[in-house]
């Protein structure tokens, strides 16, 4: 229990009364005593009338797991007994959680109020909720009470799989399968799919004359893109991928986009593997088929750490190429700064693209675009805009050089990289470039 600013001001107002005897009349010393006595009585009364901490019932409920880049609430049920009470609630957070401001809480009389404290993880790892702090004042606002409720709750932070799960639900819808996915594969490719009755506008070269003679009507062959390809997600875990873009590390954005592609590829009949490297090889998962393989990929992706080392593209991509025994689709999710630091990356990606189909995925920094698009207000802003524009132009130069080497490129903002990667994969499948 401690006095509030109002209590300090109350007693400070008695200072003139204390100085009055020395300036005006010595008999006025009783005024200071009266003022001090009234202040103490008010202070004690406010302390006695304040809400006892035993009447305060607090029940926190924390989520079992947190997803990077997607805040979840810590639900707190607060009851203050038969009397309405205004509180302040503060969560003591640690680990990878971003600090949260103090929340004002108005608990109705005789009711239980539900309060949500946002839990916003900034990186994968272990989030810790140390305690809940509650503070409230007496009815006169002269004293303040404060209690700490220890929790010490640890919550794992994993890649954001909600978008992947949402995509999985859509994939299980047969109507959506016909409308969104099957039309991209059926009718384009070399693998026989089924026979259908001839309609005006269909290619007459696809007519199956033997089947038409048996059924006594014109039938055409429908084809689909070949399946059972190998898709390898190659994650760069170097120090550049640990930098935030759009609020979360680039590596986590890349993992989310890669897992979305993995689920789609597994559902389409391909085999998906995982590879991670920085200055050395960090992880490798052999390409595996079946939708259940997504759980293994999720688990291994969750263990990828943020490295402080420079990425060795020569070692990493050479090691990956030695493990691939057949032509595969290799998705390299990485980042670079300028053309100078990207030289080794360009050389090794070009070498890998001679045998395999390579998709290069990089993340644009939203801050760069914001700096370029903001009207400068001074000389420093002009310098920043010029540097940002030079970096953007160098990124475009690297992307063009990669495209000339036969590498497919996806250079998009963090919120668009998943969609861009999936569209590029569908285009490659439609054109049957992997076989």
């Amino acid at each position: 229990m401690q006095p509030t600013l109002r209590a300090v001001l109350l007693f400070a107002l008695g200072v003139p009364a204390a100085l009055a005897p020395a300036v005006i009349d010595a008999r006025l010393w009783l005024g200071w005593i009266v003022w001090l006595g009234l202040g103490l009585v008010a202070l004690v009364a406010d302390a006695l009338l304040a809400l006892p901490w035993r009447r305060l019932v607090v029940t926190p409920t924390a989520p079992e797991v947190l997803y990077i880049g997607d805040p979840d609430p810590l639900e707190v049920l607060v009851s203050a007994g038969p009397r309405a009470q205004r509180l302040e609630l503060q969560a003591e957070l640690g680990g990878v959680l971003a600090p949260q401001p103090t929340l004002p809480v108005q608990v109705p009389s005789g009711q239980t109020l539900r309060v949500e404290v946002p839990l916003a993880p900034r990186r994968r790892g272990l989030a810790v909720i140390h305690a809940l702090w509650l503070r409230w004042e007496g009815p006169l606002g002269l004293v303040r009470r404060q209690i700490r409720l220890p929790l010490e709750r640890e919550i794992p932070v994993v890649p954001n799989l909600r978008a992947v799960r949402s995509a999985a639900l859509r994939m299980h819808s047969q109507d959506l399968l016909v409308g969104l996915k099957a039309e991209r594969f059926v009718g384009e490719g070399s693998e026989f799919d089924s026979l259908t009755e001839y309609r005006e506008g269909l290619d007459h070269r696809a007519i199956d004359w033997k089947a038409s003679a048996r059924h006594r009507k014109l039938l055409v062959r429908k084809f689909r893109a070949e399946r059972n390809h190998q898709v390898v997600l190659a994650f760069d875990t170097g120090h550049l991928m640990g930098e935030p873009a759009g609020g979360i590390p680039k590596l986590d954005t890349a993992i989310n986009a890669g897992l979305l592609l993995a689920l789609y590829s597994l559902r389409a009949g391909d085999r998906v593997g995982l590879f991670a490297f920085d200055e050395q090889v960090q992880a490798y998962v052999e390409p595996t088929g079946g939708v259940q393989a997504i759980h293994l990929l999720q688990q291994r992706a969750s263990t990828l750490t943020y490295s402080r080392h420079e990425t060795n593209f020569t070692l990493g991509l050479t090691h990956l190429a030695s493990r691939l025994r057949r032509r595969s689709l290799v998705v390299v999710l990485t980042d670079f700064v300028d053309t100078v630091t990207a030289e080794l990356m360009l050389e090794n990606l070009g070498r890998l693209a001679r045998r395999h189909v390579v998709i290069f995925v990089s993340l644009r920094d939203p801050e760069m675009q914001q700096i370029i698009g903001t009207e400068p207000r001074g000389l420093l802003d002009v310098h920043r805009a010029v540097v940002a524009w030079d970096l953007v132009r160098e990124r475009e130069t690297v992307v063009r050089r990669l495209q000339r080497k036969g590498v497919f490129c996806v250079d998009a903002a963090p919120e668009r990289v998943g969609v861009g990667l999936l569209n590029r994969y569908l285009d490659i499948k439609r054109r049957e470039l992997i076989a």
Side-chain angles (χ1 to χ4, degrees):
M1 185 178 298
Q2 59 186 5
T4 64
L5 179 61
R6 181 180 297 181
V8 175
L9 293 176
L10 175 66
F11 284 96
L13 291 176
V15 173
L19 297 176
V23 178
I24 302 176
D25 192 338
R27 293 173 297 180
L28 295 177
W29 65 272
L30 290 175
W32 162 243
I33 298 298
V34 173
W35 183 267
L36 181 62
L38 291 176
L40 291 175
V41 170
L43 197 66
V44 172
D46 197 39
L48 294 175
L49 295 175
L51 175 70
W53 66 268
R54 293 182 180 85
R55 290 187 181 179
L56 197 62
V57 180
V58 182
T59 308
T61 304
E64 296 294 330
V65 65
L66 290 173
Y67 298 98
I68 181 69
D70 194 359
D72 277 298
L74 168 66
E75 297 183 356
V76 183
L77 300 180
V78 183
S79 175
R83 189 174 62 186
Q85 182 66 47
R86 188 179 186 278
L87 308 171
E88 291 181 349
L89 188 146
Q90 173 75 53
E92 183 182 341
L93 306 176
V96 297
L97 291 175
Q100 298 298 322
T102 302
L103 299 177
V105 179
Q106 185 67 41
V107 184
S109 175
Q111 298 183 22
T112 300
L113 184 67
R114 178 174 173 268
V115 183
E116 292 186 353
V117 179
L119 302 178
R122 295 176 290 190
R123 290 176 176 262
R124 283 177 293 110
L126 198 62
V128 182
I129 307 174
H130 293 293
L132 287 177
W133 290 85
L134 290 104
R135 184 171 56 192
W136 66 97
E137 298 178 355
L140 300 179
L142 299 179
V143 296
R144 178 185 293 118
R145 289 191 172 186
Q146 181 174 280
I147 62 171
R148 182 180 185 270
L149 302 177
L151 295 179
E152 298 302 334
R153 190 77 55 85
E154 296 181 345
I155 308 172
V157 181
V158 300
N160 190 354
L161 306 178
R162 288 177 176 166
V164 178
R165 291 172 180 171
S166 177
L169 292 176
R170 293 197 300 269
M171 288 178 185
H172 285 295
S173 171
Q174 294 300 320
D175 293 337
L176 205 59
L177 266 174
V178 174
L180 290 184
K181 292 188 287 298
E183 289 184 359
R184 297 303 301 268
F185 295 114
V186 176
E188 301 177 9
S190 58
E191 185 176 320
F192 176 76
D193 182 70
S194 61
L195 292 172
T196 185
E197 189 172 355
Y198 178 81
R199 299 188 303 274
E200 184 178 357
L202 294 179
D203 189 355
H204 64 275
R205 292 173 297 181
I207 297 176
D208 190 325
W209 296 105
K210 291 183 179 180
S212 300
R214 288 195 303 268
H215 293 84
R216 298 184 179 181
K217 58 182 178 181
L218 283 179
L219 297 176
V220 296
R221 293 185 295 269
K222 295 177 64 177
F223 299 91
R224 64 186 176 194
E226 185 182 350
R227 301 187 179 190
N228 200 32
H229 294 304
Q230 277 195 169
V231 179
V232 179
L233 305 174
F235 294 103
D236 173 11
T237 60
H239 70 97
L240 288 179
M241 294 296 285
E243 296 297 321
I248 64 174
K250 296 178 181 179
L251 178 58
D252 293 314
T253 303
I255 290 175
N256 294 340
L259 290 178
L260 178 60
L261 175 63
L263 181 60
Y264 198 101
S265 301
L266 292 170
R267 192 77 175 94
D270 292 332
R271 301 165 60 84
V272 182
L274 183 145
F275 181 74
F277 66 102
D278 49 12
E279 66 172 357
Q280 59 185 0
V281 177
Q282 298 293 336
Y284 180 72
V285 177
E286 195 72 27
T288 308
V291 179
Q292 296 301 321
I294 191 64
H295 300 297
L296 174 61
L297 297 174
Q298 291 172 0
Q299 180 183 3
R300 294 304 299 272
S302 299
T303 62
L304 298 182
T305 58
Y306 307 99
S307 174
R308 297 181 180 179
H309 303 290
E310 190 77 24
T311 302
N312 190 334
F313 287 98
T314 302
L315 173 65
L317 297 182
T318 302
H319 182 90
L320 175 61
S322 66
R323 285 180 172 267
L324 300 177
R325 303 302 180 185
R326 52 179 287 196
R327 184 174 172 84
S328 307
L329 172 62
V330 181
V331 182
V332 181
L333 300 104
T334 181
D335 197 20
F336 61 96
V337 177
D338 50 36
T339 54
V340 176
T341 57
E343 283 300 327
L344 283 177
M345 180 188 72
L346 286 165
E347 178 183 347
N348 287 279
L349 285 175
R351 187 180 299 114
L352 187 65
R354 295 171 190 168
R355 183 181 176 187
H356 305 282
V357 180
V358 179
I359 301 179
F360 172 79
V361 182
S362 60
L363 303 176
R364 295 178 188 168
D365 193 343
E367 293 185 3
M368 291 291 181
Q369 303 297 330
Q370 184 178 1
I371 292 174
I372 295 174
T374 302
E375 180 180 354
R377 298 181 179 275
L379 187 59
L380 181 60
D381 293 339
V382 174
H383 291 167
R384 289 175 177 172
V386 170
V387 173
W389 177 248
D390 288 340
L391 292 175
V392 170
R393 285 195 305 174
E394 292 203 11
R395 290 183 68 90
E396 294 174 351
T397 301
V398 171
V399 169
R400 286 195 298 268
R401 291 178 62 183
L402 284 171
Q403 290 172 342
R404 287 196 295 267
K405 293 176 179 290
V407 177
F408 296 90
C409 298
V410 177
D411 185 33
E415 65 274 9
R416 298 292 301 170
V417 67
V419 176
L421 176 57
L422 190 58
N423 286 335
R424 183 65 68 185
Y425 164 80
L426 291 173
D427 181 60
I428 292 173
K429 289 280 288 185
R430 178 182 60 82
R431 296 162 59 185
E432 294 191 334
L433 299 177
I434 309 176

